[in-house]
């Protein structure tokens, strides 16, 4: 899967409208850290957008949840991420936005600040530029402790 850089929406000039999602068709992928998808969809409607549950050509914004990667159980990218990537490659006017940036866009900065990120050993490996074996060793000897285990992660 190609690397996708999320577009930052942290510039104050973009949060001037009382309906910052006016004209946007929004879908969500991955687990959201701040709320469930149903509550997020309600917020999209409140702030002038239209929330949809699946990818289509009409989607203009994909919000990527920060509680978990948008991956299927087998480790493959979610269907929404695959479809979004394909649409962007084809030149679609589609924006990928991290959950915390989306919360900032609609003015819910207090929720944005509450998000706590979880990292798998592989994610930590990439962040710290260390072999994943080193991260796992640190965990085995107690230098770092997982706050939660999901399956073997």
């Amino acid at each position: 899967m190609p690397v996708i850089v999320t577009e930052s929406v942290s510039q104050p000039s973009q949060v001037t409208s009382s309906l910052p999602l006016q004209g946007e068709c929004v879908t969500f992928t991955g687990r959201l850290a701040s709320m469930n998808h149903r509550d997020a969809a309600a917020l999209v409607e409140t702030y002038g957008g239209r929330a949809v549950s699946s990818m289509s050509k009409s989607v203009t914004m994909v919000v990527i949840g920060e509680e978990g990667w948008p991956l299927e159980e087998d480790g493959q990218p979610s269907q929404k991420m695959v479809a979004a990537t394909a649409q962007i490659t084809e030149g679609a006017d589609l924006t990928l936005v991290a959950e915390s940036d989306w919360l900032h866009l609609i003015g819910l900065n207090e929720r944005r600040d509450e998000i706590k990120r979880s990292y798998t050993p592989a994610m930590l490996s990439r962040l710290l530029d260390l072999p994943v074996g080193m991260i796992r060793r640190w965990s085995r000897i107690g230098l770092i402790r997982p706050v939660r285990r999901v399956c073997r992660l």
Side-chain angles (χ1 to χ4, degrees):
M1 183 171 123
V3 175
I4 299 172
V5 178
T6 60
E7 184 174 308
S8 178
V9 291
S10 60
Q11 297 167 343
S13 62
Q14 292 181 344
V15 189
T16 56
S17 169
S18 61
L19 295 175
L21 298 177
Q22 186 71 42
E24 298 282 357
C25 181
V26 181
T27 192
F28 299 88
T29 188
R31 178 175 286 146
L32 299 175
S34 60
M35 64 192 78
N36 61 41
H37 283 219
R38 183 180 39 235
D39 292 342
L43 282 173
V44 168
E45 304 285 334
T46 299
Y47 288 96
R50 183 170 60 96
V52 295
S53 60
S54 59
M55 275 301 296
S56 69
K57 298 284 185 191
S58 65
V59 172
T60 59
M61 181 183 291
V62 177
V63 177
I64 301 169
E66 293 184 16
E67 179 67 21
W69 287 96
L71 300 174
E72 301 294 343
E73 289 183 19
D74 63 359
Q76 295 299 311
S78 71
Q79 291 177 345
K80 287 182 186 177
M81 283 302 295
V82 170
T85 302
Q87 287 184 24
I88 289 170
T89 302
E90 294 169 1
D93 187 20
L94 179 63
T95 305
L96 297 176
V97 180
E99 177 184 359
S100 56
D101 290 334
W102 175 75
L103 290 168
H104 178 71
L105 176 67
I106 63 174
L108 295 179
N109 289 324
E110 68 280 354
R111 285 259 177 111
R112 180 183 184 197
D113 295 338
E114 292 172 3
I115 294 175
K116 294 181 181 176
R117 296 179 186 215
S118 296
Y119 298 95
T120 65
M123 292 162 62
L124 284 173
S125 170
R126 283 190 297 266
L127 281 171
L128 300 172
D129 197 24
L130 294 169
V132 72
M134 178 79 66
I135 303 298
R136 292 184 195 280
R137 182 171 177 263
W138 288 353
S139 179
R140 278 193 308 273
I141 63 175
L143 289 175
I144 58 174
R145 274 183 251 132
V147 293
R148 170 177 61 146
R149 288 192 186 270
V150 178
C151 296
R152 292 179 42 211
L153 298 176

